[in-house]
């Protein structure tokens, strides 16, 4: 098959961020398919132009057998109006520039936002090829539950129309959220055409070391986006509690970037949270070398109803693959940490419980922590290998082409 994957924020592994589509594309290429990823050259994590020079509007680039088609979009900072313009321009460029790619057999449109997915849908219609919709987040429900806008906001009404249009016209739908099938079908998705394809891990990239990392301090790591949806203030609160309880042998380390990073750094400095270090973003190629230095990981979700549809935190599978225990702030129905006893589950955004969880792991024996970690590793090996997940996506794409 000749496949287009439209995702504005898709990146190759030499950049920091989520490489789901690159990993899937690479696996599909190895199976003999021709895959092109259509993405923005403006990097969402660092918020810098990364690929295009001068006045160039597009560029082809091959990375490890995967073809990227980079499209220029205007710069922005944070979650501003300029970011909305950036999204709209990406959608416009998808419609205007992809004629250079010839005709595909199928187009997958991903929804880090709905505008890019809508452009992919319209392009599929104009080319008379099947369209597969990938739902990463439930827009506009995510905006409402995160408190960005109210249910009655005009933007919500507009996005509801787009959402229903995409659900009802997609030949197949892929969702990253295991509990979202009913939600999608109730809003126009065709019954029997929604498939769960989770995030996962390229296990060959993660070679966990045995035992506990040597050192004077117990190293607790968060690696991922520093954004409003990530609930990182509660992890700062947990670090502060640990510090105030004079657990000086516990060190918190943050890897990553995002619109909240500068504010969080300023807060840690002003409140004298001395056991917390911000390390900045690390490329996917190099991040696992840093992650295996951890003694434990920490992550929380926001305490909102949105996650009752399930989660697919890429960072969580990375953590488990490193064979280290995880302190997980969660109230979601699918919780691998709790399912296989791969760490400690606490209430989401509950800083006191997170601090107590970290201190409990620090006091546990190395053997106890190792057993938790290896239970998590075996779980992702059995359930979240990217090779197996890519095969599931291949089946969805093939089904779409047969039904068209």
């Amino acid at each position: 098959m000749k496949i287009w994957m439209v995702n504005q924020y898709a990146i190759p592994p030499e950049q920091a961020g989520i490489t789901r589509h690159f990993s899937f594309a690479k696996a599909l290429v190895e199976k003999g398919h021709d895959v092109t990823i259509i993405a923005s050259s403006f990097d969402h994590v660092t918020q810098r132009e990364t690929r295009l020079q001068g006045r160039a509007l597009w560029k082809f680039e091959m990375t490890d057998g995967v073809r990227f088609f980079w499209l220029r979009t205007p710069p922005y900072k944070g979650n501003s109006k300029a970011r909305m313009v950036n999204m709209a321009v990406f959608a416009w460029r998808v419609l205007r520039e992809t004629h250079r790619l010839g005709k595909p057999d199928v187009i997958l449109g991903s929804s880090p936002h709905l505008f890019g997915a809508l452009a992919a849908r319209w392009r599929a219609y104009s080319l008379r090829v099947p369209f597969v919709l990938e739902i990463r987040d439930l827009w506009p429900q995510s905006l409402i539950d995160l408190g960005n806008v109210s249910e009655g906001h005009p933007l919500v009404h507009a996005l509801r129309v787009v959402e229903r249009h995409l659900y009802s016209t997609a030949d197949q739908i892929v969702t990253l959220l295991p509990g979202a099938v009913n939600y999608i079908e109730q809003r126009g998705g065709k019954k029997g055409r929604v498939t769960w394809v989770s995030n996962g891990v390229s296990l060959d990239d993660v070679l966990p070391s045995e035992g506990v990392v040597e050192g004077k301090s117990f190293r607790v790591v968060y690696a991922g986006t520093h954004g409003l949806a990530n609930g990182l203030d509660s992890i700062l609160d947990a670090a502060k509690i640990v510090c105030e309880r004079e657990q000086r042998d516990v060190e918190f380390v943050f890897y990553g970037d995002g619109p909240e990073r500068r504010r969080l750094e300023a807060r840690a400095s002003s409140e004298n949270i001395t056991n917390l270090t911000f390390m900045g973003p690390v490329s996917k190629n190099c991040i696992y070398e840093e992650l295996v230095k951890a003694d434990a990981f920490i992550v929380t979700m926001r305490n909102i109803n949105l996650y009752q549809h399930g989660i697919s935190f890429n960072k969580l599978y990375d953590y488990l693959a490193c064979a280290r225990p995880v302190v997980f702030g969660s109230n979601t129905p699918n919780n691998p940490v709790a399912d296989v006893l791969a760490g400690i589950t606490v209430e989401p955004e509950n800083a006191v419980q997170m601090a107590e969880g970290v201190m409990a792991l620090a006091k546990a024996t190395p053997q106890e922590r190792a057993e938790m970690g290896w239970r998590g590793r075996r779980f992702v090996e059995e359930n979240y290998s990217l090779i197996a997940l890519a095969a599931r996506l291949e089946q969805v794409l093939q089904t779409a082409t047969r039904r068209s």
Side-chain angles (χ1 to χ4, degrees):
M1 289 183 294
K2 186 175 182 180
I3 304 163
W4 293 0
M5 294 183 174
V6 180
N7 179 348
Q8 179 167 354
Y9 305 136
I11 57 169
E14 66 263 24
Q15 292 177 235
I18 297 173
T19 56
R20 169 185 172 91
H21 290 90
F22 171 82
S23 298
F24 280 171
K26 182 179 177 182
L28 290 169
V29 167
E30 290 172 353
K31 287 173 172 283
H33 302 290
D34 181 342
V35 185
T36 300
I37 297 176
I38 301 166
S40 169
S41 62
F42 184 81
D43 182 42
H44 176 60
V45 174
T46 62
Q47 298 191 339
R48 294 196 298 266
E49 174 60 47
T50 58
R51 301 287 166 178
L52 300 181
Q53 297 180 355
R55 296 184 178 182
L57 297 179
W58 54 271
K59 176 184 178 181
F60 287 107
E61 188 173 62
M62 294 294 293
T63 301
D64 206 4
V66 176
R67 182 188 305 106
F68 278 85
F69 185 48
W70 299 108
L71 300 175
R72 182 182 292 277
T73 57
Y76 62 89
K77 292 290 184 182
N79 292 315
S80 60
K81 291 182 180 179
R83 185 180 178 189
M84 295 292 291
V85 173
N86 175 279
M87 294 176 183
V89 169
F90 175 76
W92 176 246
R93 295 259 191 259
V94 170
L95 296 173
R96 286 292 302 271
E97 305 295 348
T98 51
H99 65 88
R100 305 174 193 279
L101 302 175
K103 183 177 179 178
D105 296 306
V106 61
I107 297 177
L108 181 144
S110 186
S111 71
H113 60 79
L114 292 181
F115 302 117
L118 183 62
R121 172 68 191 95
W122 287 347
R123 198 72 183 96
Y125 179 80
S126 69
L127 292 169
R128 300 294 190 269
V129 298
F131 169 65
V132 175
L133 173 66
E134 180 186 75
I135 295 297
R136 299 178 59 82
D137 296 300
L138 299 176
W139 301 111
Q141 196 61 47
S142 296
L143 292 174
I144 298 166
D145 288 352
L146 288 170
N148 297 101
V149 294
S150 66
E151 180 70 54
H153 195 282
L155 176 62
V156 170
H157 290 301
L159 290 176
R160 290 284 188 211
V161 172
V162 175
E163 177 188 45
R164 181 167 288 276
H165 171 69
L166 288 171
Y167 290 165
S168 62
T169 61
D171 295 283
Q172 294 285 308
I173 298 176
V174 169
T175 177
L176 280 68
L177 309 175
V181 174
N182 288 338
Y183 175 96
I184 293 169
E185 290 180 347
Q186 290 169 5
R187 288 159 178 80
K190 299 180 180 70
K191 289 188 179 297
R193 297 197 182 187
V194 184
T195 303
W196 175 42
V197 182
S198 173
N199 278 322
V201 182
S202 179
L203 292 164
D204 292 340
D205 297 335
V206 194
L207 302 175
S209 56
E210 294 283 351
V212 178
V213 177
E214 295 182 0
K216 294 182 180 180
S217 63
F218 184 80
R219 188 179 178 92
V220 183
V221 168
Y222 170 85
T225 303
H226 295 31
L228 183 64
N230 305 108
L232 297 186
D233 277 296
S234 60
I235 300 181
L236 262 67
D237 292 337
K240 187 175 182 179
I241 291 169
V242 172
C243 188
E244 290 172 347
R245 295 186 184 180
E246 298 186 351
Q247 298 290 320
R248 295 189 177 89
D249 58 339
V250 178
E251 173 193 15
F252 289 76
V253 181
F254 278 24
Y255 292 95
D257 207 343
E260 291 286 288
R261 179 184 164 195
R262 301 294 180 267
R263 183 189 66 78
L264 293 167
E265 287 180 319
R267 187 194 153 196
S269 177
S270 67
E271 297 181 21
N272 198 32
I273 307 175
T274 57
N275 60 344
L276 173 60
T277 304
F278 289 85
M279 300 298 291
V282 178
S283 72
K284 195 71 172 183
N285 279 338
C286 300
I287 188 60
Y288 295 117
E289 296 176 13
E290 300 301 321
L291 294 185
V292 295
K293 298 175 184 177
D295 294 290
F297 296 103
I298 189 167
V299 63
T300 187
M301 61 181 56
R302 295 287 303 277
N303 191 12
I304 54 179
N305 291 330
L306 179 68
Y307 297 115
Q308 293 308 305
H309 299 292
I311 59 163
S312 189
F313 291 173
N314 205 74
K315 63 179 76 67
L316 183 58
Y317 305 122
D318 287 339
Y319 298 168
L320 294 173
C322 291
R324 300 289 188 270
V326 181
V327 175
F328 186 24
S330 170
N331 60 3
T332 185
N334 67 308
N335 179 348
V337 174
D339 290 345
V340 298
L341 302 178
I344 296 174
T345 297
V346 301
E347 293 178 358
E349 297 189 284
N350 188 320
V352 173
Q353 290 188 11
M354 281 191 281
E356 291 173 347
V358 166
M359 289 185 287
L361 287 179
K363 293 175 182 177
T365 66
Q367 181 179 350
E368 288 171 334
R369 291 196 296 267
E371 289 174 353
M372 293 182 204
W374 283 103
R375 284 194 292 266
R377 171 73 185 197
R378 288 192 293 271
F379 181 77
V380 296
E381 287 176 346
E382 294 168 2
N383 298 279
Y384 294 96
S385 162
L386 272 174
I387 294 175
L389 294 169
R392 191 183 306 172
L393 177 62
E394 180 187 34
Q395 291 177 351
V396 173
L397 295 170
Q398 289 173 335
T399 299
T401 58
R402 287 195 298 266
R403 284 180 170 172
S404 62

